[in-house]
């Protein structure tokens, strides 16, 4: 029933109650006892000063020497002492002479009841009437002035005594004795102890009631609501996926921050359930889309030539790595006639599914028009106008296309806003000079200009998209055209695939942890001649 926070609160409150009760008892006892002791010290001192008025020091010395009562003793000192004791109720009032470690009595006060009980009514001062001298008195007696009063509490056969003492001096200034007034404190201390015990019991009862009520209140208003919240949230966190999720229906009505917290948690769990439901739906949808994109990736890959023939006249190799599941880059190569090979490298604006769809259209149009026997510039002009039709998305394509006569090595090409190819001639790579026309699908009625060179056996041409030169590292530094040309010239390779693999590896090393931002597509052709 009581666990966790409840147990801690109960322990804290109990410890607090016990500590408060004990501290109240100790402070109360010390305060009350000190006040009582101070009061009875003053009372003993007053009795002492009153008795001093009845003492004739010189007469007391003479009485002790002669062992005879004087008139002063009989009619002044003894009656005075007796009267003080009778009226004040003081326990002991006497005058004694210190003698080494003993004391010899001069005079002792008696009440009438005590006098009536005496068997012999003789002068009490006797050289044989001795008692041990308290060490406290013995140590201080020679350092006192006439007006010094000191207080010594003692415990003896008579009980706990509060004593006041004062030195008595003769006319010559010599100390002839010590005047003592003692009060029995047993009854007083018992009264104080009963009072303190009563206070402790009362305080304990009050603290018990207060603690009980506080624990009940804290449990009802704090610990029970918090345990309720903890239980419900723990159930929510450990909820089985097979069970129906329900928000916390809180019954907490504390009218404070805990109730506000309860409503907040209930709202949070309700929102979380909605979020989980939405996330489940979105996840399912993403899985469906992911499956469809996987199929789309396979379809797009199947549209690109993946068998690279090695003819007597030429070799060719190409690769494409999209930035997303599908991309907008594409390459193509096909024979226009038995002696003319067309190669195409293109990059659709944007990425993802829209670019992939536009890529399919552009690739189909370019290949279809080329196989109709049109020249490269005619293929781009007709394809451009057809792509401009219903291009509401305002997408465009940069493209490079070349016709290679495998017999003569004549290479006729056209560039629609694309990156210039890299040509290897006499063992060295350099840029192929091209006249760059406007992009495809950008504007109807565009006219493109062809260029022409003649390949010699051993020449190679490398086509690529801007995903190569514009690859960037984590500091947004670009791979760049000069770096591409530098890497191409220092690369040692035996096959075209080794060359493209080297370029891709250098791009990956340069980019490091930076994600691929654009499709990377490459095509390389080597002319061998007849």
């Amino acid at each position: 029933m009581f666990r966790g926070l409840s147990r801690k609160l109960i322990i804290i409150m109990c410890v607090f109650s016990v500590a408060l009760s004990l501290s109240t008892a100790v402070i109360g006892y010390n305060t009350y006892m000190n006040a009582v002791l101070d009061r009875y010290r003053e009372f003993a001192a007053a009795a002492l000063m009153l008795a001093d008025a009845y003492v004739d020091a010189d007469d007391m010395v003479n009485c002790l020497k002669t062992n005879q009562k004087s008139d002063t003793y009989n009619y002044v000192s003894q009656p005075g002492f007796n009267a003080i004791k009778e009226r004040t109720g003081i326990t002991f009032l006497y005058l004694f002479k210190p003698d080494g470690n003993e004391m010899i009595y001069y005079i002792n006060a008696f009440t009438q009841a005590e006098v009536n009980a005496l068997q012999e009514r003789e002068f009490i001062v006797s050289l044989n009437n001795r008692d041990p001298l308290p060490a406290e008195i013995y140590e201080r007696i020679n350092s006192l002035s006439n007006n010094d009063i000191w207080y010594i509490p003692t415990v003896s056969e008579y009980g706990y005594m509060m004593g006041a003492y004062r030195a008595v001096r003769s006319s010559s200034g010599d100390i002839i004795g010590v005047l003592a007034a003692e009060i029995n404190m047993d009854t007083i201390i018992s009264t104080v102890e009963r009072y303190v015990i009563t206070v402790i019991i009362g305080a304990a009862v009050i603290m018990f009631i207060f603690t009980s009520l506080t624990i009940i209140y804290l449990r009802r208003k704090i610990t029970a609501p918090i345990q309720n919240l903890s239980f419900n949230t723990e159930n929510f966190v450990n909820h089985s996926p097979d069970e129906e999720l329900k928000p916390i229906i809180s019954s907490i009505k504390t009218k404070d921050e805990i109730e506000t917290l309860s409503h907040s948690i209930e709202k949070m769990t309700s929102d979380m359930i909605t979020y989980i439901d939405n996330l489940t739906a979105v996840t399912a949808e993403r899985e469906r889309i992911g499956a469809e994109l996987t199929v789309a990736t396979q379809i797009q890959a199947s549209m690109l030539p993946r068998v690279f023939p090695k003819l007597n006249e030429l070799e060719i190799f190409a690769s494409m790595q999209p930035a997303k599941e599908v991309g907008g880059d594409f390459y193509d190569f096909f024979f226009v006639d038995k002696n003319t090979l067309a190669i195409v490298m293109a990059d659709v604006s944007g990425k993802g599914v829209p670019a992939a769809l536009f890529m399919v259209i552009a690739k189909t149009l370019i290949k279809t028009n080329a196989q109709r026997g049109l020249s490269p510039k005619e293929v781009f002009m007709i394809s451009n106008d057809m792509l401009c039709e219903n291009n509401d998305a305002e997408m465009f394509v940069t493209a490079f296309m070349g016709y290679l006569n495998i017999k003569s090595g004549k290479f006729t090409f056209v560039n629609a806003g694309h990156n210039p190819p890299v040509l290897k001639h006499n063992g060295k790579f350099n840029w192929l000079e091209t006249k760059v026309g406007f992009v495809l699908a950008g504007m109807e009625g565009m006219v493109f200009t062809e260029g022409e060179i003649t390949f010699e056996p051993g020449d190679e041409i490398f086509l690529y998209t801007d995903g190569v030169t514009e690859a960037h590292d984590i500091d947004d530094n670009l791979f760049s055209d000069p770096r591409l040309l530098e890497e191409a010239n220092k690369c040692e390779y035996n096959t075209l695939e080794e060359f493209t693999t080297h370029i891709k590896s250098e791009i990956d090393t340069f980019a490091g942890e930076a994600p691929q931002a654009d499709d990377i597509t490459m095509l390389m052709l080597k002319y061998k001649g007849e």
Side-chain angles (χ1 to χ4, degrees):
M1 179 180 180
F2 296 101
R3 64 186 182 93
L5 185 60
S6 293
R7 184 186 300 113
K8 292 178 182 178
L9 286 174
I10 291 173
I11 293 174
I12 291 172
M13 290 303 300
C14 290
V15 172
F16 171 76
S17 300
V18 172
L20 184 60
S21 298
L22 290 177
S23 61
T24 301
V26 172
I27 294 172
Y29 179 82
N30 290 333
T31 302
Y32 191 41
M33 180 59 74
N34 290 334
V36 169
L37 292 178
D38 289 341
R39 178 70 182 85
Y40 278 89
R41 286 192 192 101
E42 294 175 0
F43 177 61
L48 197 68
M49 297 303 294
L50 186 60
D52 186 62
Y54 293 96
V55 174
D56 185 337
D58 295 330
D59 183 65
M60 290 295 106
V61 173
N62 186 56
C63 289
L64 186 60
K65 287 181 179 180
T66 61
N67 201 24
Q68 295 291 326
K69 300 178 182 179
S70 66
D71 290 340
T72 301
Y73 183 93
N74 287 326
Y75 299 108
V76 178
S77 298
Q78 183 68 59
F81 272 51
N82 292 346
I84 293 172
K85 184 175 181 180
E86 185 77 47
R87 293 179 181 178
T88 62
I90 199 165
T91 307
F92 297 112
L93 181 64
Y94 56 94
L95 178 65
F96 67 92
K97 175 185 177 181
D99 184 18
N101 292 329
E102 295 183 324
M103 57 182 181
I104 304 172
Y105 288 100
Y106 279 115
I107 190 172
N108 202 352
F110 295 93
T111 63
Q112 188 60 45
E114 291 171 339
V115 172
N116 294 336
L118 291 175
Q119 297 295 326
E120 298 180 359
R121 299 183 181 180
E122 297 180 354
F123 178 57
I124 66 167
V125 177
S126 171
L127 294 177
N128 297 321
N129 192 2
R130 295 170 178 265
D131 274 339
L133 179 65
E136 296 87 347
I137 301 174
Y138 178 77
E139 292 173 359
R140 300 184 61 181
I141 195 168
N142 294 320
S143 62
L144 299 175
S145 65
N146 287 333
N147 298 322
D148 283 339
I149 296 177
W150 73 96
Y151 307 94
I152 302 176
T154 60
V155 179
S156 66
E157 58 183 306
Y158 302 107
Y160 181 82
M161 308 297 290
M162 173 57 68
Y165 302 88
R166 184 173 184 271
V168 178
R169 298 178 183 270
S170 65
S171 58
S172 62
D174 298 328
I175 297 176
I176 61 97
V178 177
L179 186 61
E182 296 180 352
I183 303 173
N184 187 288
M185 302 294 292
D186 289 341
T187 303
I188 298 168
I189 292 176
S190 298
T191 303
V192 173
E193 290 176 349
R194 285 195 301 271
Y195 169 77
V196 172
I197 291 173
T198 302
V199 170
I200 292 175
I201 294 174
V205 171
I206 293 173
M207 288 305 301
F208 176 77
I209 296 173
F210 171 77
T211 301
S212 299
L213 293 176
T214 302
I215 290 174
I216 292 173
Y217 176 81
L218 291 177
R219 177 163 176 76
R220 181 177 301 173
K221 295 295 184 179
I222 297 179
T223 58
I226 291 178
Q227 287 175 353
N228 184 16
L229 290 176
S230 175
F231 176 77
N232 282 281
T233 51
E234 184 177 0
N235 283 346
F236 183 82
V237 171
N238 297 328
H239 173 77
S240 172
D242 298 329
E243 299 176 5
E244 182 182 358
L245 275 174
K246 293 183 180 179
I248 298 174
I249 307 300
S250 176
S251 59
I252 297 174
K253 303 296 179 184
T254 58
K255 300 185 184 304
D256 54 20
E257 289 82 357
I258 295 180
E259 182 176 347
T260 303
L261 176 63
S262 171
H263 294 324
S264 299
I265 292 179
E266 184 172 358
K267 176 67 167 55
M268 180 186 67
T269 54
S270 179
D271 292 344
M272 189 173 295
I273 291 171
T274 302
Y275 172 78
I276 291 173
D277 291 340
N278 293 337
L279 182 62
T280 301
V282 170
T283 301
E285 181 66 17
R286 290 185 63 181
E287 290 177 352
R288 184 188 64 80
I289 294 174
E292 294 179 355
L293 285 175
T294 301
V295 175
T297 302
Q298 296 172 352
I299 293 174
Q300 184 181 37
S302 66
M303 293 184 65
L304 302 179
R306 288 181 292 177
V307 176
F308 307 106
K310 291 185 178 181
L311 306 177
N312 293 330
E313 296 86 359
L314 61 88
E315 290 182 19
I316 192 167
F317 182 82
S319 66
M320 197 270 280
Q321 182 176 350
K324 293 187 176 181
E325 288 83 357
V326 290
D329 286 8
F330 70 91
Y331 65 85
D332 202 358
F333 55 88
F334 50 88
F335 277 96
V336 175
D337 54 47
K338 65 178 183 177
N339 292 323
T340 304
L341 176 72
I343 57 173
V344 181
M345 179 63 66
D347 183 2
V348 178
S349 61
K351 293 179 284 294
V353 174
L357 293 175
F358 205 74
M359 161 260 183
V360 172
I361 298 172
K363 178 179 181 299
T364 302
L365 289 175
I366 291 173
K367 184 174 183 178
T368 300
N369 289 316
Q371 289 181 334
R372 289 171 53 195
L374 301 177
S375 66
K377 68 176 182 179
E378 292 173 334
V379 170
F380 273 15
M381 290 169 60
I382 294 175
S383 298
N384 173 69
D385 291 342
M386 297 178 71
L387 288 171
C388 286
E389 294 178 3
N390 301 317
N391 186 15
D392 296 332
E394 297 182 351
M395 302 186 74
F396 62 88
V397 183
T398 66
F400 180 92
M401 182 176 185
Y403 284 1
L404 173 64
N405 188 304
I406 62 175
K407 299 298 184 181
S408 64
K410 179 182 176 182
F411 184 67
T412 305
F413 56 88
V414 63
N415 190 339
H418 199 74
N419 304 76
V422 177
L423 178 65
K424 183 179 183 181
H425 180 67
N426 294 329
K428 184 175 180 61
F429 283 98
N430 255 312
W431 303 110
L432 175 65
E433 294 184 5
T434 65
K435 186 172 183 179
V436 181
F438 198 59
V439 297
L440 302 180
M443 184 183 299
E444 293 183 10
M446 296 303 301
V447 176
F448 296 90
T449 302
E450 291 180 349
E452 184 179 302
I453 61 171
T454 300
F455 283 168
E456 296 180 4
D459 286 354
E460 298 173 0
I461 188 169
F462 176 66
L463 309 181
Y464 59 94
T465 59
D466 59 6
V468 173
T469 54
E470 294 181 5
H472 61 82
D473 60 14
I474 57 175
D475 296 323
D476 286 335
N477 298 311
L478 297 180
F479 189 75
S480 74
D481 293 339
R483 187 186 297 271
L484 172 61
L485 195 61
E486 178 185 353
E487 292 297 335
N489 278 306
K490 73 179 185 180
C491 177
E492 297 180 1
Y493 58 96
N494 296 316
T495 65
L496 304 183
E497 183 177 0
E498 288 181 1
F499 178 85
T500 57
T501 300
H502 171 78
I503 297 299
K504 180 61 171 60
S505 176
E506 291 300 320
I507 293 173
D508 292 340
T509 302
F510 170 80
E513 297 180 357
Q516 181 180 335
D518 200 359
D519 305 333
I520 296 177
T521 306
M522 296 177 284
L523 182 148
M524 194 169 189
L525 182 145
K526 180 177 183 179
Y527 179 67
K528 298 179 180 179
E530 288 187 307

